[in-house]
Amino acid sequence: MAADGAAASAARNVCFTMHGIGVSGGIAIGHAHLFLGMSTEVDHYQIPSHEVSREQRRFDRAVKEVREELKGLAESVRHSAASELAPFVNVHLMLLEDAAFSEAPREIIAEEKCNAEWALRTQLDELTAQFGDIQDEYLRERETDVRQVAERILTALAGSKRLLAMRPTREDADMILVARDLSPADVILFREHPFAAFVTDMGGATSHTAIIARSLAIPAIVALHHSRTLIREDELIIVDGTQGVVIVNPDRAVLAEYRLRQNQARLEREKLKRLKSAPAATLDGTPVHLYANIELPSDLDAVKAAGAAGIGLFRSEFLFMNRRELPDEDEQYEAYRSVVEGMKGRPVTIRTLDIGADKALDGGEGSAENPALGLRAIRYCLAEPRLFNTQLRAILRASRHGKAAILIPMLSSWAELNQAAAAVERAKEELKAEGEKFDPFVPVGGMIEIPAAAIALPMFVRKLDFLSIGTNDLIQYTLAIDRSDDAVAHLYDPLHPAVLSLIAGVIRTAQQAEKPAAVCGEMAGDVALTRLLLGMGLRHFSMHPASLLPVKQRVLTTSLPDIAPLVARILKADDPEKLVTLVEKLNA
């Protein structure tokens, strides 16, 4: 938040600015609607011994009410356009069934002779205290789920409903939701009402709110800390999800500027739609393959709307996360089949499970002190051969329905590559023995996201059919920084000479081996880096569907012979300031 934000908020209609984490890009302008939720501050009073059973029954009824409400919400979205939200609601259902919620408060009621609300609050405090020692960001954010479940039970105990107080007389549909936090169930309730953006005090880049906002393609900013207390009902606010900025009570000049930006962005999006069916090729006629990254089968609509040439990265771990029971082979097969069939012959690259001990699949806590360097991705899969075999069988079965490929993440050694290849062959032999049909020539590729793999690439490229450069982790590991750590996030630099040298080397080695290489990290969707990557020799890009048309436009306006000398100078530059200047010149 700006330094004078709190003081400015004290005066009516004074403009002030707040800063948070932008998790879904775009600009929204509208009036604030405050979502109060349900406070976990509760009364504490003693009850006579003869009323303990009655108080326990009261608690049980509240739990049952919440259970039925969540089941209804999950079922209502399971086969709808909001189907991606159902797993998040199921997380809350699983928590509700846990003894920590269903039994522990009943015991506290009996032991302390207290009201149900206080018993639940006591148990909540004990549960959330355990999150303090968890280092992994994703697991820490599960504390939010625990709080949200407790709040729903408290709401039921109070006999009230968590419904959004809508104002049907308002003609302005550009409503911006301001909340301390939003649960997936809350968002489902709000889907029938118009709102232009989310603004929340809590949350992170991997929080449910962030994931949902991106799936709805609306601007969102989280981790604002004080928006619920500083922003008033119906105040005019601007949400810049790209920059992570909220402007409250903008003056005429600022409002006019952002309306102009908003209109320009809208016009630009409309113009870009005309490029959907245009072949992606540079001015000199070099074809470029532009693919999309997806998390769930429900992302297919966005992929098709962008005119993607295929799916370069299907992050299969999203099928496994936020649930207690792992998806079996048939469930995975149906998910992969729906995507492969939906792409109608265009390639679909399915990455095998990229998850680790820090993100326990059964909801348990990870024990690794440094999860990024621990048992994750292919290391985890090789340590859990049955789980790996189940996924490989499902992918292979889906390959009969179109053009599928298998991508192995986080390869770092020859032994890992050999074991992964053997696991694929073993799954093929099993399916063949069972009479199951599959494509016996399914390509198997590897993600190059560890410096060791990039440096020793000739060792890997001999056995792989294709390569995919995961720039997010490659940059993180090369520069030895945790990009989720605010204290060092500013050091995360795609233009670091070491990073550019590794990427250029991977592309060059792949060309020499005549193996296709793609970039599937955030760099692929950054228009400012498109020409640089093209000049390095990259011809396969995979990105979020929303980035595809802007990148295509840059490809169509690029001449490879013209940019070659400048790209060569960039790759030789060792002065960071000079390097940035050269990149700006490249994009001029």
Side-chain angles (χ1 to χ4, degrees):
M1 188 183 67
D4 60 345
S9 67
R12 187 77 181 170
N13 296 327
V14 173
C15 175
F16 65 96
T17 302
M18 305 181 72
H19 296 272
I21 300 174
V23 294
S24 186
I27 295 172
I29 302 173
H31 293 270
H33 183 75
L34 307 187
F35 176 59
L36 299 177
M38 179 69 183
S39 172
T40 54
E41 296 299 325
V42 299
D43 293 330
H44 179 203
Y45 55 85
Q46 298 296 121
I47 60 173
S49 298
H50 67 272
E51 290 187 4
V52 166
S53 295
R54 186 173 68 178
E55 193 69 8
Q56 289 176 328
R57 288 195 298 272
R58 177 170 166 260
F59 174 78
D60 293 340
R61 285 195 299 271
V63 170
K64 181 180 179 181
E65 180 181 329
V66 172
R67 183 186 299 114
E68 294 305 314
E69 180 186 10
L70 290 173
K71 284 181 178 179
L73 287 170
E75 188 60 32
S76 69
V77 300
R78 196 176 305 280
H79 305 294
S80 71
S83 58
E84 71 275 7
L85 306 184
F88 299 145
V89 180
N90 288 335
V91 172
H92 288 197
L93 271 169
M94 288 188 295
L95 287 172
L96 193 67
E97 299 300 330
D98 194 281
F101 276 111
S102 61
E103 295 298 330
R106 300 179 87 259
E107 295 173 1
I108 294 173
I109 292 171
E111 292 172 2
E112 299 188 13
K113 306 292 189 299
C114 64
N115 57 310
E117 291 89 347
W118 183 255
L120 179 58
R121 177 56 194 268
T122 301
Q123 177 64 5
L124 174 62
D125 288 344
E126 183 176 334
L127 290 173
T128 55
Q130 299 172 15
F131 284 86
D133 297 328
I134 298 178
Q135 296 181 1
D136 179 67
E137 180 183 3
Y138 178 85
L139 283 177
R140 283 201 307 270
E141 287 170 355
R142 302 292 71 78
E143 178 182 355
T144 301
D145 295 307
V146 171
R147 289 189 177 279
Q148 288 170 346
V149 171
E151 287 183 356
R152 299 190 79 87
I153 299 174
L154 288 172
T155 302
L157 286 169
S160 59
K161 300 290 184 181
R162 294 185 76 187
L163 297 178
L164 182 65
M166 302 297 295
R167 294 155 294 169
T169 57
R170 172 174 283 284
E171 296 180 0
D172 182 7
D174 290 330
M175 182 179 70
I176 294 173
L177 209 59
V178 181
R180 177 177 176 271
D181 193 24
L182 291 173
S183 75
D186 292 329
V187 177
I188 293 170
L189 289 173
F190 302 155
R191 286 184 71 92
E192 300 302 319
H193 303 291
F195 57 93
F198 287 127
V199 172
T200 66
D201 288 335
M202 300 179 67
T206 61
S207 65
H208 292 335
T209 304
I211 295 170
I212 292 168
R214 286 193 287 268
S215 73
L216 296 176
I218 60 174
I221 300 175
V222 300
L224 284 164
H225 304 300
H226 303 293
S227 66
R228 269 294 287 108
T229 55
L230 296 180
I231 298 175
R232 288 190 287 262
E233 181 73 25
D234 220 32
E235 282 187 312
L236 184 65
I237 62 176
I238 297 171
V239 177
D240 186 341
T242 304
Q243 300 297 323
V245 174
V246 175
I247 303 173
V248 184
N249 292 317
D251 59 33
R252 291 183 180 179
V254 172
L255 185 59
E257 178 188 349
Y258 271 91
R259 287 201 188 281
L260 180 60
R261 290 189 195 179
Q262 194 178 44
N263 288 332
Q264 288 174 335
R266 187 180 297 115
L267 290 173
E268 187 63 28
R269 285 195 301 270
E270 290 302 316
K271 289 180 182 177
L272 288 174
K273 289 180 181 178
R274 303 173 188 172
L275 301 178
K276 175 184 174 182
S277 57
T282 59
L283 288 172
D284 54 289
T286 302
V288 178
H289 306 274
L290 301 180
Y291 302 133
N293 297 341
I294 68 169
E295 282 81 40
L296 294 165
S298 55
D299 295 333
L300 273 184
D301 288 342
V303 173
K304 294 175 182 177
I311 292 174
L313 178 62
F314 182 170
R315 297 183 174 100
S316 66
E317 57 270 15
F318 278 78
L319 298 173
F320 292 74
M321 292 162 63
N322 300 321
R323 56 190 297 168
R324 178 160 295 172
E325 295 182 1
L326 300 180
D328 61 20
E329 182 180 322
D330 286 338
E331 181 181 344
Q332 290 187 61
Y333 161 71
E334 289 298 333
Y336 304 143
R337 179 192 59 78
S338 66
V339 173
V340 172
E341 284 186 339
M343 291 306 292
K344 300 185 184 301
R346 284 169 286 179
V348 175
T349 299
I350 303 171
R351 182 173 69 186
T352 57
L353 186 62
D354 188 0
I355 205 163
D358 61 308
K359 298 175 184 175
L361 295 179
D362 61 356
E365 297 178 6
S367 58
E369 291 186 8
N370 194 334
L373 302 180
L375 191 64
R376 56 163 290 200
I378 188 58
R379 301 171 183 177
Y380 184 93
C381 287
L382 293 177
E384 297 288 345
R386 273 197 254 179
L387 179 148
F388 194 32
N389 178 257
T390 298
Q391 181 174 38
L392 291 174
R393 285 172 56 95
I395 296 173
L396 288 168
R397 287 172 59 194
S399 69
R400 62 176 290 201
H401 299 285
K403 196 174 180 181
I406 299 172
L407 179 61
I408 308 297
M410 205 181 172
L411 287 170
S412 63
S413 72
W414 179 249
E416 288 172 345
L417 178 56
N418 278 335
Q419 291 177 60
V424 173
E425 291 304 315
R426 191 158 47 249
K428 287 182 179 180
E429 291 301 321
E430 290 177 2
L431 293 175
K432 191 183 300 181
E434 296 167 13
E436 289 280 357
K437 294 182 179 180
F438 63 94
D439 178 3
F441 305 107
V442 172
V444 176
M447 284 198 74
I448 307 303
E449 50 193 336
I450 295 178
I455 295 169
L457 191 59
M459 176 177 71
F460 294 91
V461 79
R462 293 196 300 269
K463 198 159 189 172
L464 293 169
D465 297 311
F466 65 95
L467 305 173
S468 188
I469 307 172
T471 54
N472 298 353
D473 273 336
L474 183 62
I475 296 169
Q476 175 172 249
Y477 292 134
T478 301
L479 303 183
I481 61 167
D482 182 354
R483 53 196 166 96
S484 65
D485 185 344
D486 291 340
V488 296
H490 64 285
L491 298 174
Y492 185 83
D493 183 13
L495 292 178
H496 191 290
V499 172
L500 297 183
S501 177
L502 287 175
I503 295 173
V506 171
I507 296 171
R508 184 171 55 252
T509 301
Q511 288 175 332
Q512 293 169 350
E514 298 184 340
K515 300 288 178 72
V519 166
C520 63
E522 292 300 312
M523 287 181 70
D526 189 341
V527 176
L529 302 178
T530 301
R531 284 180 178 160
L532 176 57
L533 293 171
L534 285 170
M536 289 181 181
L538 187 71
R539 301 294 179 262
H540 297 77
F541 295 69
S542 191
M543 66 203 76
H544 189 281
S547 303
L548 199 143
L549 291 178
V551 168
K552 179 183 279 191
Q553 183 183 50
R554 184 58 58 91
V555 169
L556 294 172
T557 57
T558 299
S559 169
L560 293 180
D562 289 347
I563 67 171
L566 196 52
V567 172
R569 290 176 61 190
I570 291 171
L571 294 178
K572 291 179 181 177
D574 56 7
D575 182 332
E577 292 183 2
K578 182 180 179 181
L579 195 152
V580 171
T581 300
L582 290 173
V583 171
E584 291 175 350
K585 186 177 179 180
L586 183 66
N587 291 316

